[in-house]
Amino acid sequence: MSDSFVKGMVLQEVFFSEDTGYGVYRLEVQEASDKSVSDEITIVGHFLRPVAGETYSCEGEWREHPRFGKQYMVSKINKELPKTEQAIIKYLSSGLFHGIGKKTAEKIVAGLGGNALQLIASNPAALAEIPGVSSTQANTIANSLGEHQALEEAMVLLYEYGLGAALALKVVQRFKQDTVKVIKENPYQLIDEIEGIGFFKADEIAKAQGFSLHAPERYEAAVLYSLQEASNEGHVFLTRQEVESASQSLLGEWEASIFEDAIGNLLEQKKVMMEEDRVYLVTLFYAEVNMALKCRQMISQTIEKTFPATDLYEAIGELEEEFEVHYAESQREAMMMALSSPLMILTGGPGTGKTTVIRGLCHLFARLHELNLDADINKGENLPIRLVAPTGRAAKRMTETTGIPAMTIHRLLGFRGGFFEHDADNPIKGSLLVVDETSMLDIWLANQLFRAIPPTMQVVLVGDADQLPSVGPGLVLEHLLQVPDIPRVQLTDIFRQAEDSSIIQLAHSIRKGELPDNLLTPLSDRRFFPCHAEQAVSIIEQTYENAIRKGYTLFDIQVLAPMYKGQAGVNRINEKIQAIINPKREGIKEITWGDTVFRFGDKVLQLSNHQDHPVYNGDMGLISAIDNSSKPDDPVLWVQFDRQEVPYKRNQLGQLSLGYACSVHKAQGSEFPIVIFPFLPSYHRMLARNLIYTGITRSKSYLILCGEVEALRRGVETTGEARNTALKDLILDEW
């Protein structure tokens, strides 16, 4: 037992979440390491659901909750089986054993005495001798008691292996009474099944179980873990040599023959795929191969309806008069090429008119194909022209700039909590698909989208090849641009309205690997404040507060940072801005999740696609209500996203973070009137040219840079790391 412990009987359940196992309980203290502890305390933590009247031994530490006062945060908890006859009766009739009431419990105790629970556990048939207890009731008690004891034993075992309460509970919730069996047979299974358990933690458990350093399961786990970690870094596969090197660094002890057997077993079980010397996780293999096949099919297709050049020029001229614009030759070329190609790519940096081309193309396509675009938009029906983007904010920007409804790729495909409604057997509908921010597409999502495209639909991919690649594995846009048979137009001219923007000028300098001579000169739309890390946070606070005073909204200003941790990381900046913009004050409700305090009125960021509502990774909203008194399965917080208010249960709060500051990756696809972007030596691992370029181009009107010029310079001179992907070779059939 640790230095700090309490033992006592559960008096009341204040809150409990079945999904996360997080609970709040009142405990009557019977014994404690701190003799000054009051007779009743509040315990909080992750555990199997306690029952009122049961006695528990808890280890943990005291903490002061800002709202609820002193609480005991449990890190380990063990249930002590009741020992007195009255306690056993209460336990058996507590509701844990379906159909067993107080009278039946009294009969059991009368027949078996104070050792009833131990007797039932060791010999369930003992219940059959109790008058008035049916065989069904006997089986229910025996099975339930066995299950509960198995879960308790599993929790204790996992504690012994160094797992915290929350992680141990995840394991037990996943494997139930089979937990101990799984741990003993193959603890490496936990790596794939339980988020938060990696190779080294599973390896510790395996070693404690007596697994050999040369166990086949250990080698197989090392291979799979190496491939998964590589995919998290953007690689679609690892070469055979890379897999061997990565696995060896994990394993330490090494036998080449066992590694060869492990690869063979994984191939036989279809847990990995291999082509020549490339080793894939199965899902990524099929994603890349099928994406390549679909692209080859599209390249070889012919367009059903084509138009003479004279008709195209005439229609474009009519659009110029209607929209009062003058298209550059490259923009006309892009629209004409899109109309005559099954698959086409449009690229260009900021200020080169990509959005102008998208809007013109949509109306040109509708005019030539005799589609009543305006009528379809007004009726809200499925449009023949579909506009999509990887994130909700990018889709919203498409809608605002084109006047045509756009949506996320997930929404177009009918994402339903783990699967998509639309696929090769149920393709999407429409005649033209325009995909913006294509640089954000990883190979898995790209394949999901392309497999749902019908043969008659024309596709235009739009993106900026100099921006960050996808967070997920692959280099989809970069590789498609290397396929000569895919038509493409690159917009390079900066248009008049963008020529005067020093932000765009800076972005194009950075794209070339350079910094302008006037970097430190205060300009009408850009400024650089040289400073150190601690000063940078202060400058960010002051700038944010000044912008709010001038009438800008929370959604007009966005702080970007390359890293989450550190004295100038996203997390700390969020806390600092929250303390200024939305501080703790009387009458303003708040709720805590982990280390984050959410308050009414906070700007928040959605971190993943919501399972129940059309809210997606990267969407930003405002906390519109908080209800701490909600029942366990009721919402506790509501967020206003554009036109919809979305409820969140307590176990869903992990989907949110404060949104005053965010990473550059999370901001990709969005634009903000004001962007604040610090550059510090502590960011050096993350600072690279494409990240800096992407962050700077998020600013529409004003850009505040702060930090050290040398850190910025080194970042601009650093090009992104290469990724293992074979999409181009597969499309060209060169592999």
Side-chain angles (χ1 to χ4, degrees):
M1 187 171 286
S2 70
D3 293 338
S4 175
F5 73 91
V6 293
K7 177 181 174 182
M9 183 177 71
V10 171
L11 296 175
Q12 178 190 8
E13 177 179 289
V14 180
F15 168 82
F16 187 79
S17 167
E18 290 284 1
D19 293 323
T20 65
Y22 181 81
V24 181
Y25 287 82
R26 294 296 295 168
L27 193 77
E28 181 181 74
V29 177
Q30 299 170 349
E31 187 180 348
S33 55
D34 183 355
K35 303 306 179 184
S36 65
V37 171
S38 58
D39 293 340
E40 287 188 18
I41 63 170
T42 299
I43 63 169
V44 299
H46 295 81
F47 24 63
L48 295 171
R49 191 170 199 164
V51 175
E54 293 183 3
T55 300
Y56 291 85
S57 295
C58 308
E59 296 180 28
E61 60 183 18
W62 293 99
R63 73 170 189 181
E64 190 71 27
H65 190 279
R67 174 171 178 159
F68 301 112
K70 194 173 184 180
Q71 298 178 331
Y72 193 74
M73 175 64 75
V74 174
S75 58
K76 287 185 180 180
I77 183 168
N78 296 325
K79 181 174 70 177
E80 298 194 0
L81 286 176
K83 295 180 173 61
T84 68
E85 291 188 358
Q86 285 303 314
I88 294 170
I89 291 170
K90 192 172 183 179
Y91 176 65
L92 289 173
S93 59
S94 65
L96 285 174
F97 307 93
H98 181 69
I100 308 301
K102 187 176 180 180
K103 288 185 178 180
T104 303
E106 288 174 343
K107 291 177 184 177
I108 292 170
V109 172
L112 299 179
N115 293 323
L117 298 178
Q118 290 85 346
L119 289 171
I120 296 169
S122 61
N123 180 25
L127 285 168
E129 301 173 5
I130 307 299
V133 178
S134 68
S135 59
T136 300
Q137 288 176 316
N139 289 332
T140 296
I141 295 171
N143 292 338
S144 296
L145 186 62
E147 180 180 337
H148 286 297
Q149 286 189 331
L151 296 179
E152 292 288 345
E153 289 171 10
M155 289 288 284
V156 172
L157 184 64
L158 292 168
Y159 289 150
E160 291 175 359
Y161 293 145
L163 269 67
L167 205 52
L169 189 68
K170 278 187 183 180
V171 178
V172 171
Q173 286 176 326
R174 168 63 183 85
F175 295 108
K176 307 295 184 185
Q177 59 265 39
D178 293 330
T179 299
V180 174
K181 180 182 177 184
V182 168
I183 293 171
K184 290 184 180 298
E185 291 182 354
N186 184 9
Y188 296 104
Q189 187 177 339
L190 301 177
I191 300 172
D192 293 331
E193 299 281 357
I194 308 297
E195 184 180 355
I197 295 184
F199 178 82
F200 293 110
K201 178 56 69 177
D203 205 31
E204 287 178 19
I205 297 173
K207 288 174 183 176
Q209 288 289 329
F211 273 69
S212 165
L213 294 177
H214 298 303
E217 298 92 340
R218 186 168 185 257
Y219 278 66
E220 290 176 17
V223 171
L224 292 173
Y225 186 75
S226 297
L227 289 171
Q228 185 58 58
E229 287 296 286
S231 74
N232 293 339
E233 295 172 3
H235 299 292
V236 180
F237 61 80
L238 288 179
T239 65
R240 178 68 175 261
Q241 184 177 354
E242 287 170 338
V243 173
E244 184 171 338
S245 176
S247 300
Q248 191 168 359
S249 68
L250 291 171
L251 295 166
E253 296 279 342
W254 183 254
E255 287 287 346
S257 60
I258 301 177
F259 172 76
E260 294 298 326
D261 290 342
I263 290 286
N265 289 339
L266 292 171
L267 286 168
E268 187 176 336
Q269 298 169 47
K270 296 194 181 301
K271 291 185 176 180
V272 302
M273 302 291 285
M274 193 160 67
E275 191 73 29
E276 296 185 3
D277 74 332
R278 295 168 171 85
V279 185
Y280 289 84
L281 292 171
V282 173
T283 54
L284 294 181
F285 173 80
Y286 285 114
E288 188 161 74
V289 169
N290 291 336
M291 176 70 180
L293 289 172
K294 181 69 174 185
C295 287
R296 284 163 61 181
Q297 290 171 6
M298 295 180 75
I299 292 168
S300 64
Q301 287 173 204
T302 56
I303 300 301
E304 291 183 355
K305 189 174 183 180
T306 58
F307 305 94
T310 53
D311 290 354
L312 291 173
Y313 276 115
E314 182 180 345
I316 290 172
E318 292 172 356
L319 284 179
E320 287 181 317
E321 290 184 13
E322 183 178 332
F323 294 153
E324 297 181 350
V325 298
H326 177 71
Y327 296 117
E329 188 56 39
S330 59
Q331 292 178 312
R332 292 192 191 94
E333 179 190 359
M335 288 187 279
M336 294 170 69
M337 185 178 289
L339 281 165
S340 60
S341 307
L343 175 63
M344 177 258 186
I345 304 174
L346 173 67
T347 65
T352 57
K354 296 192 299 295
T355 300
T356 302
V357 173
I358 294 173
R359 182 170 182 249
L361 170 62
C362 292
H363 287 275
L364 181 64
F365 188 95
R367 182 166 301 200
L368 292 171
H369 286 270
E370 299 179 343
L371 305 173
N372 192 337
L373 198 55
D374 293 332
D376 286 335
I377 291 173
N378 292 332
K379 286 189 292 186
E381 296 179 355
N382 283 336
L383 294 170
I385 299 175
R386 314 304 296 269
L387 271 56
V388 297
T391 68
R393 290 190 67 82
K396 181 183 177 184
R397 189 154 54 88
M398 286 185 85
T399 300
E400 292 170 347
T401 54
T402 64
I404 300 170
M407 63 183 67
T408 64
I409 294 171
H410 282 80
R411 186 175 176 187
L412 174 72
L413 296 178
F415 180 69
R416 295 289 182 273
F419 73 95
F420 295 96
E421 287 184 358
H422 293 290
D423 54 21
D425 297 323
N426 181 27
I428 56 179
K429 296 178 181 179
S431 304
L432 174 67
L433 174 67
V434 181
V435 186
D436 200 7
E437 299 289 351
T438 308
S439 63
M440 298 177 67
L441 275 182
D442 61 44
I443 190 63
W444 185 82
L445 184 57
N447 178 55
Q448 294 295 329
L449 175 62
F450 270 60
R451 68 198 292 257
I453 296 172
T456 56
M457 178 177 264
Q458 293 175 252
V459 179
V460 178
L461 304 178
V462 183
D464 186 342
D466 295 306
Q467 283 195 30
L468 280 169
S470 57
V471 175
L475 291 168
V476 174
L477 178 59
E478 182 177 316
H479 271 228
L480 292 180
L481 285 169
Q482 295 177 42
V483 178
D485 290 337
I486 300 178
R488 83 286 311 275
V489 171
Q490 181 180 9
L491 303 177
T492 56
D493 296 329
I494 300 176
F495 287 88
R496 183 173 299 173
Q497 61 268 32
E499 285 179 350
D500 296 331
S501 168
S502 74
I503 300 170
I504 290 177
Q505 293 168 8
L506 174 62
H508 284 280
S509 294
I510 288 171
R511 184 174 59 82
K512 299 173 186 176
E514 304 168 353
L515 287 177
D517 295 334
N518 65 351
L519 179 66
L520 297 180
T521 304
L523 301 173
S524 61
D525 61 351
R526 192 189 83 211
R527 188 161 186 183
F528 194 115
F529 292 98
C531 61
H532 298 299
E534 201 55 47
Q535 296 169 312
V537 175
S538 178
I539 287 172
I540 291 168
E541 292 173 332
Q542 293 173 40
T543 304
Y544 206 106
E545 192 171 17
N546 288 338
I548 293 294
R549 285 174 182 165
K550 290 179 180 178
Y552 288 97
T553 72
L554 296 178
F555 297 98
D556 291 334
I557 319 159
Q558 189 61 47
V559 183
L560 303 180
M563 300 176 69
Y564 284 91
K565 297 181 180 179
Q567 62 178 346
V570 168
N571 296 337
R572 184 162 185 257
I573 293 171
N574 266 323
E575 291 174 4
K576 290 288 188 178
I577 295 176
Q578 182 193 45
I580 294 172
I581 302 301
N582 192 23
K584 180 179 179 64
R585 54 203 189 276
E586 191 69 29
I588 300 300
K589 289 187 176 181
E590 62 181 46
I591 191 169
T592 301
W593 178 259
D595 295 329
T596 303
V597 177
F598 295 110
R599 293 194 184 100
F600 173 80
D602 270 333
K603 176 183 176 183
V604 291
L605 173 72
Q606 180 76 18
L607 299 175
S608 58
N609 296 328
H610 200 295
Q611 298 284 351
D612 305 318
H613 298 276
V615 178
Y616 304 98
N617 187 352
D619 286 353
M620 291 184 177
L622 206 68
I623 296 178
S624 55
I626 293 175
D627 183 3
N628 281 307
S629 63
S630 299
K631 294 179 181 178
D633 294 325
D634 289 343
V636 295
L637 179 148
W638 288 257
V639 178
Q640 186 69 44
F641 291 100
D642 292 330
R643 298 178 182 177
Q644 61 175 326
E645 189 176 53
V646 177
Y648 288 80
K649 298 178 182 179
R650 187 176 293 271
N651 67 318
Q652 294 175 319
L653 295 183
Q655 297 181 29
L656 297 172
S657 72
L658 294 176
Y660 304 105
C662 70
S663 69
V664 178
H665 283 93
K666 289 293 184 185
Q668 198 170 358
S670 304
E671 285 185 345
F672 309 91
I674 300 174
V675 165
I676 307 170
F677 198 171
F679 294 92
L680 301 165
S682 59
Y683 297 156
H684 70 93
R685 286 192 305 106
M686 296 296 295
L687 284 179
R689 185 183 304 166
N690 54 9
L691 181 138
I692 296 168
Y693 173 83
T694 302
I696 284 172
T697 53
R698 299 310 93 203
S699 176
K700 289 198 298 185
S701 305
Y702 203 86
L703 175 67
I704 298 289
L705 307 176
C706 60
E708 299 186 18
V709 175
E710 189 55 34
L712 173 58
R713 188 183 309 280
R714 285 198 299 269
V716 170
E717 292 172 353
T718 303
T719 55
E721 295 182 1
R723 295 181 171 189
N724 289 345
T725 174
L727 181 61
K728 175 200 65 156
D729 296 331
L730 286 167
I731 295 173
L732 296 174
D733 201 20
E734 294 178 356
W735 186 12

